[in-house]
Amino acid sequence: MPIIRVALDVPVATLFDYLASDATTHDIGVRVQVPFGRKIMTGVIMEVLDSSPVTPSKLKSVASLFHDIPPLPLTLLDLFRFCSDYYHHPLGEVVMNSLPSRLRSSKPFIQKPTTPFQFRLTDAGRHADTTSIPVRSIIQHRLLTRLRETGVIKPEEARQISPSAPKVLQKFREMGWIEEVSIHSSIAKSISSPVLNTEQQTAFDAVANDIRKFNVWLLHGITGSGKTEIYLRLITLLLLQGRQTLVLVPEISLTPQLEHIFRSRFPTTLLVCLHSRLSDSERLKGWLQAQKGEAKIVLGTRLAVFAPLPKLGMIIVDEEQDGSFKQQDGLRYSARDVSIFRAKQENVPVILGSATPSLESYYHATNGRYRMLRLSSRAVKKAVLPAVHCIDIRSAKCMDGLSKPLVTALEKVLAQDQQSLVFLNRRGYAPVLLCKSCSWTAKCHRCTSRLVVHLREKQLRCHHCGHQERFPSSCPDCGDQDIVPFGQGTQRVEALLAERFPNARILRIDRDSTRLKNGWEKMLKDIYERRVDILVGTQILAKGHDFPNLSLVGILNSDAALFSTDFRAAERLFAQLMQVAGRAGRADIPGEVLVQTEFPDHPLYYALRRHDYAALAQTLLSERKMAGFPPFVYQALLRAEAPQISTAMNFLTSAAELAGSTTGGVEIFDPVPAQMARLKGLERAHLLVQSGSRKKLQEFLTSWYTRITTLPIRKVRWSLDVDPQEF
Ligand code: ADP
Ligand code: ZN
Ligand code: ZN
């Protein structure tokens, strides 16, 4: 009897075999119900076999197979296998968590259309030979005539013609004579597209010429250079070929403009959005339209990378450097990296777009693994990049964090009835030891990470490798005794702004205020309609938005990131500041950016003043090379959480011992408490492993993972994080 091997949502790295009397290989990818312990669980058939290593008498029989939707495509199952192998996460969980919740449930799913749609005559239908329809089939003739007159028909109108009309329409659809379109979209008018400038044209041509093969393209274009326009042109090309495009964006609710741009450019194309804020039924509907190949454009956040796309022709990852592409729990995948694997597997191009690419991607584009496309000027003729200036707050007078020159600039902008934005960097950085006269910072001699100050114990600790040492009494470089922990300090800037500018309309934008349903849309409207004078915002601020009336950006307390213990902090800060700076001066108002800093000569601010990403990238890359950080090494973290820190540390120590002698080409560090050592009542610690070879690291992780699972685990939750982004 055939045996099916099923993926189930259970935290063990194995699939489960069941007897299934009439299963064939066509059932691979089908959902099933199987007995598991005392429960019945829903799973997905991954393989169909003739025999199982399990004793036949011990095998249970499958309860039922669901044929409510087509099976998951084989390529998608391969993608799940890749993720499970690469991220060392149970395959069953990978598969089941990718599905909309309705498909994970125990009931078969009954499809019914939920939003208004209508049928539209296709070119094939318009020119179809009516003599092929038997004369007796009056309903067919009537429906076709009606469609040829009006072009479209709604299901309820069809039903008025005859109760059997839905069946006929279904048949027309199968023949390709009609297609389903949303009612809203078919009314909209298509917006015409601008003529591409030379750089855009070159970039477009390069991708278009190789549109049917795998390549990773890095589209490196400054803010406002017209990257979106290139996406739109390439999508047009794919639509003509009847193929689907997957567009991944960091946070969809923050980019309603992008959805709007896509919808107005392709008014008659079915576009679906897939993100975590949809209701279950909305998500399921979009997912099914993608799976049937009807949705030609799928716009989504990281989870959309697992959408079934039978006619996938291209993947776009916009703002590819954004941290939100990496999932921080469960399957800790990077949607950008998974996209690249998926594109390779399906032999289609993937485009990574950014004004400030991640150093990993940039490095690959400069060494030829990826192909670089550059857009170096703003697409709108009059728009120029804003002038960036540093205010040296060691000499400028400051009041609770606001310097005199910034206050003056804000006053001026207010008087001219334009808008300004005050950007606060509020990420909590661990304190480091800094010499303010020569900028020396305490570094770990073992791994060149910055050491973290632990004031109570008067100790410096490396959160990467575990090394510890005592406070020095003076600066080892210049001898100055005034060395202080740096990187803490909260400011009450928002309140101060309100005091200082009592007549200004101030709007605060942060994660909480944008999370409210429609909160962000309302804020945008207020900004556009000039009901706001000063915007105060944190990291969350406005990605990819045009604020036409914004002429001043003030940047406060970003210095802490310059001396962070996180080796990616400088890269992230630069990306963020470029993005924020890019908000100013989009239309015909020239913009100005003022950065308050104690370190105006720092290479990061120097690059920012000159809008010179490449220069900074070179500096950071050579630092990373010297220090042996990514992209020159590949890393993985073994993470552990427990009510007591000692429990987590002991677990990691045992895991490190298991790694023992088998570490060819892989470096294993000591366990350390995590940067954020306590989270939700649990103590967190981790252990870093790294290697110059991705393959060696993977081989090591595979065998190590299996051995870790044999450890006696009490009260510890652990996971492997491959290519970690947060420490
Ligand atoms: P990016 O995504 O690179 O930040 P956008 O694609 O948003 O830039 O383009 C910025 C602005 O320039 C938009 O208003 C867009 O309509 C406009 N634009 C893009 N390409 C052109 C072009 N070739 N000619 C004129 N305007 C353009
Ligand atoms: Zn010094
Ligand atoms: Zn170290």
Side-chain angles (χ1 to χ4, degrees), residues 444 446-449 451 462 464-467:
C444 173
R446 224 177 121 191
C447 72
T448 63
S449 283
L451 295 170
C462 175
H464 257 90
C465 72
H467 165 79

Side-chain angles (χ1 to χ4, degrees), residues 165-184:
K167 260 199 198 130
V168 175
L169 289 174
Q170 191 54 38
K171 195 174 150 194
F172 282 2
R173 215 177 100 177
E174 280 160 20
M175 296 196 298
W177 289 4
I178 56 171
E179 58 192 0
E180 220 175 87
V181 291
S182 128
I183 285 184
H184 308 298

Side-chain angles (χ1 to χ4, degrees), residues 537-568:
T538 58
Q539 354 294 39
I540 194 77
L541 220 130
K543 290 173 180 169
H545 282 280
D546 287 330
F547 295 141
N549 204 39
L550 186 81
S551 60
L552 173 70
V553 173
I555 293 171
L556 311 188
N557 57 6
S558 53
D559 283 349
L562 299 177
F563 304 106
S564 164
T565 53
D566 177 349
F567 66 88
R568 285 195 177 86

Side-chain angles (χ1 to χ4, degrees), residues 501-631:
F501 301 103
N503 297 322
R505 292 160 300 177
I506 299 176
L507 174 70
R508 209 185 78 210
I509 299 179
D510 56 23
R511 199 164 275 279
D512 297 331
S513 52
T514 55
R515 190 164 279 160
L516 300 170
K517 197 156 177 144
N518 301 326
W520 182 229
E521 273 97 308
K522 178 168 180 307
M523 287 182 195
L524 281 177
K525 203 156 177 270
D526 285 346
I527 300 168
Y528 280 110
E529 295 171 6
R530 297 190 176 198
R531 284 190 292 271
V532 176
D533 301 310
I534 303 177
L535 286 153
V536 181
T538 58
Q539 354 294 39
I540 194 77
L541 220 130
K543 290 173 180 169
H545 282 280
D546 287 330
F547 295 141
N549 204 39
L550 186 81
S551 60
L552 173 70
V553 173
I555 293 171
L556 311 188
N557 57 6
S558 53
D559 283 349
L562 299 177
F563 304 106
S564 164
T565 53
D566 177 349
F567 66 88
R568 285 195 177 86
E571 171 186 354
R572 288 187 184 139
L573 176 66
F574 188 74
Q576 206 169 62
L577 296 187
M578 286 279 273
Q579 220 160 33
V580 177
R583 299 304 121 225
R586 300 274 291 196
D588 40 8
I589 309 173
E592 183 175 32
V593 178
L594 297 176
V595 185
Q596 290 193 173
T597 172
E598 292 184 48
F599 307 94
D601 302 323
H602 192 282
L604 189 143
Y605 294 134
Y606 183 77
L608 188 71
R609 285 200 292 272
R610 303 171 51 126
H611 303 279
D612 192 349
Y613 169 87
L616 186 71
Q618 282 313 324
T619 310
L620 294 179
L621 277 173
S622 54
E623 282 175 16
R624 296 256 190 110
K625 190 169 187 173
M626 295 235 298
F629 285 141

Side-chain angles (χ1 to χ4, degrees), residues 47-109:
E47 291 169 61
V48 177
L49 312 160
D50 300 328
S51 66
S52 161
V54 182
T55 329
S57 59
K58 286 200 175 147
L59 282 177
K60 293 183 187 160
S61 290
V62 65
S64 60
L65 271 68
F66 291 141
H67 288 293
D68 49 357
I69 61 165
L72 299 176
L74 299 184
T75 48
L76 194 61
L77 300 182
D78 280 342
L79 187 70
F80 294 146
R81 283 193 192 92
F82 162 78
C83 286
S84 166
D85 290 345
Y86 185 79
Y87 293 108
H88 303 273
H89 195 81
L91 180 56
E93 290 190 344
V94 176
V95 175
M96 295 314 289
N97 289 322
S98 83
L99 299 179
S101 59
R102 191 66 189 75
L103 297 179
R104 278 178 257 158
S105 83
S106 57
K107 288 187 223 93
F109 156 73

